[in-house]
Amino acid sequence: MLELQLTSGESESFFHLSVTGQLESAHFPMGPDGGGLFCRYDIVAGPDWELVSGLRSAVTQSARTESDYRTVVFNMPVEFTMKSTNPHGWPQIIFSLYGANIWNVETNRGYARVHCPLSGAGTERTIKAPLFIPKYSNLCSAAMSWLSGVNPELRDPKILADGSKHKGLACETYGELVVRLQAISRGSSRMALDWGQTAVDDR
């Protein structure tokens, strides 16, 4: 059982959320559109959340399809702990997938986002997050993108965590990321927070 050490009086002001799991794979119905895929993840949370341990962002190794031409396996661990005074701005993980096109030029292959699960005592969730690729609304730019094999990219993928910032974004979906996550909280009951699930004993 995961143990979180709290300093004197901290349990009354903060609750901790510990998330563990892995980015398992990317699945494409007709195979990936390109090779040498790698993925970056970024943790995004509200202003009251503070990262206590783990990495806020990380990048996987480059991977290719093997026996199953539709699946690219990453098996990248995801592990971090955050603390907050309230659940507003619940942590999300933004994934950015990249790979080489037919001209061997690195380009965006899709974005995905997932919310960290609510606390559950050792319960791991499998999340299948759709991959979407931004598209140019201008016909000329779209034609140039198709000819060059270079997809448009978001300057800051973290805006995907805020629906008001990417409203009206033109995109298409192809494929999905498979992510396995579990979460354990500590100190939430002392702050009168109830996730509707079993949490770690706060004693």
Side-chain angles (χ1 to χ4, degrees):
M1 182 66 69
L2 180 64
E3 293 290 342
L4 297 175
Q5 299 297 324
L6 303 181
T7 59
S8 177
E10 188 179 40
S11 60
E12 299 178 359
S13 303
F14 297 91
F15 72 92
H16 287 73
L17 179 71
S18 181
V19 178
T20 59
Q22 66 177 357
L23 167 59
E24 187 174 87
S25 61
H27 179 79
F28 303 91
M30 299 179 66
D33 186 13
L37 297 178
F38 67 93
C39 190
R40 169 178 174 153
Y41 78 76
D42 295 279
I43 301 169
V44 182
D48 296 325
W49 290 80
E50 178 184 344
L51 185 67
V52 176
S53 66
L55 299 175
R56 188 173 294 275
S57 63
V59 180
T60 71
Q61 80 283 1
S62 178
R64 298 179 181 274
T65 57
E66 295 183 359
S67 57
D68 182 359
Y69 72 94
R70 297 168 298 180
T71 303
V72 178
V73 178
F74 296 112
N75 285 337
M76 180 186 188
V78 177
E79 183 174 356
F80 61 91
T81 299
M82 304 189 80
K83 69 177 182 179
S84 179
T85 57
N86 65 82
H88 176 71
W90 193 264
Q92 300 181 57
I93 306 178
I94 308 298
F95 296 96
S96 305
L97 187 66
Y98 299 92
N101 60 17
I102 58 174
W103 312 110
N104 202 31
V105 175
E106 181 184 300
T107 185
N108 165 252
R109 289 301 177 194
Y111 299 96
R113 69 167 182 164
V114 300
H115 280 85
C116 294
L118 294 176
S119 174
T123 302
E124 187 178 61
R125 291 187 55 196
T126 299
I127 304 170
K128 295 183 178 180
L131 280 166
F132 62 90
I133 305 173
K135 291 298 179 183
Y136 290 110
S137 56
N138 179 279
L139 186 59
C140 181
S141 298
M144 289 299 297
S145 175
W146 182 79
L147 289 172
S148 65
V150 177
N151 295 320
E153 297 185 21
L154 298 176
R155 180 176 300 177
D156 183 9
K158 296 178 184 178
I159 66 170
L160 297 175
D162 187 343
S164 64
K165 293 183 179 180
H166 62 85
K167 185 177 181 181
L169 177 67
C171 62
E172 66 178 16
T173 60
Y174 177 62
E176 62 186 14
L177 288 182
V178 181
V179 186
R180 296 182 184 272
L181 296 174
Q182 64 178 358
I184 299 176
S185 65
R186 176 77 180 259
S188 56
S189 63
R190 295 184 184 182
M191 298 181 64
L193 296 173
D194 182 6
W195 314 126
Q197 303 182 43
T198 303
V200 172
D201 189 357
D202 285 329
R203 292 176 296 175

